Amino acid sequence: MKHQLDNAIKIIKENGYKYTKKREEILLFLIEENRYVGAIEVFDFMNKQYQGISYDTIYRNLRDFTKMDLLEETELMGEKKFRFHCDVSSNHDHSHHHHHFICTSCGWTKEINLCPMDFFSEQLPDCKIESHRFEILGKCQKCLKK
């Protein structure tokens, strides 16, 4: 966890942003949660420690972290959700290609080390695929038991 945080702070500085304790706390929260969370969850957590912090400040930091590729972003039930990027490394190389199962109830996430793009590439031989996004949505075992 410390390694992930240290690398994230380094990337923040490399992108011309200042280190702040609040940014560190946001990142730590996301690292510890290890799931997709909404901005309101991050706001609620931060507001307990920093009374009066604005929702806009939280959301702006989440967007900035996403642009720096520190966070992954998805949309669940019409709401943007964020999670700490699985592959933040010291050289910021996201070479481990994978996808996720995401619980639509709690946001729990599991890596899926399989990509269906080979199939789609075969189906589109005269096209150039520039990007893709693949997520499996459902209920995790814990939420199914509730």
Side-chain angles (χ1 to χ4, degrees):
M1 191 174 342
K2 178 157 175 36
H3 178 69
Q4 291 172 306
L5 181 62
D6 290 344
N7 290 332
I9 290 170
K10 178 182 172 195
I11 291 165
I12 288 170
K13 291 176 181 177
E14 289 172 353
N15 279 274
Y17 291 83
K18 291 181 185 176
Y19 162 81
T20 67
K21 186 67 175 162
K22 290 176 186 172
R23 285 185 174 138
E24 180 181 331
E25 292 289 332
I26 291 170
L27 290 169
L28 264 176
F29 174 74
L30 291 165
I31 291 167
E32 289 173 357
E33 286 296 308
N34 193 29
R35 64 183 178 91
Y36 280 99
V37 297
I40 194 69
E41 288 179 76
V42 179
F43 170 76
D44 289 343
F45 169 78
M46 291 296 289
N47 198 39
K48 290 175 188 169
Q49 297 174 43
Y50 302 97
Q51 290 291 315
I53 192 168
S54 77
Y55 180 81
D56 289 342
T57 297
I58 299 300
Y59 200 81
R60 188 172 43 257
N61 276 283
L62 292 172
R63 296 299 303 158
D64 289 343
F65 294 159
T66 302
K67 287 178 188 172
M68 288 181 252
D69 214 15
L70 294 173
L71 302 183
E72 297 174 11
E73 177 184 61
T74 194
E75 189 172 315
L76 294 172
M77 311 302 202
E79 179 186 3
K80 293 264 187 220
K81 302 274 185 163
F82 305 87
R83 78 184 296 271
F84 192 76
H85 204 296
C86 299
D87 296 330
V88 173
S89 63
S90 58
N91 61 2
H92 204 51
D93 173 26
H94 301 294
S95 59
H96 173 66
H97 183 76
H98 64 276
H99 297 282
H100 296 112
F101 167 85
I102 305 167
C103 179
T104 55
S105 291
C106 70
W108 177 80
T109 307
K110 179 170 177 46
E111 280 186 27
I112 299 170
N113 292 304
L114 174 81
C115 182
M117 287 311 295
D118 289 339
F119 170 78
F120 294 113
S121 295
E122 291 171 7
Q123 301 297 310
L124 302 165
D126 298 328
C127 299
K128 178 185 176 194
I129 298 171
E130 296 176 345
S131 180
H132 72 280
R133 185 173 144 183
F134 182 74
E135 298 169 331
I136 299 173
L137 307 174
K139 302 274 191 270
C140 70
Q141 193 173 25
K142 184 177 174 185
C143 290
L144 282 173
K145 290 181 180 178
K146 289 181 182 179

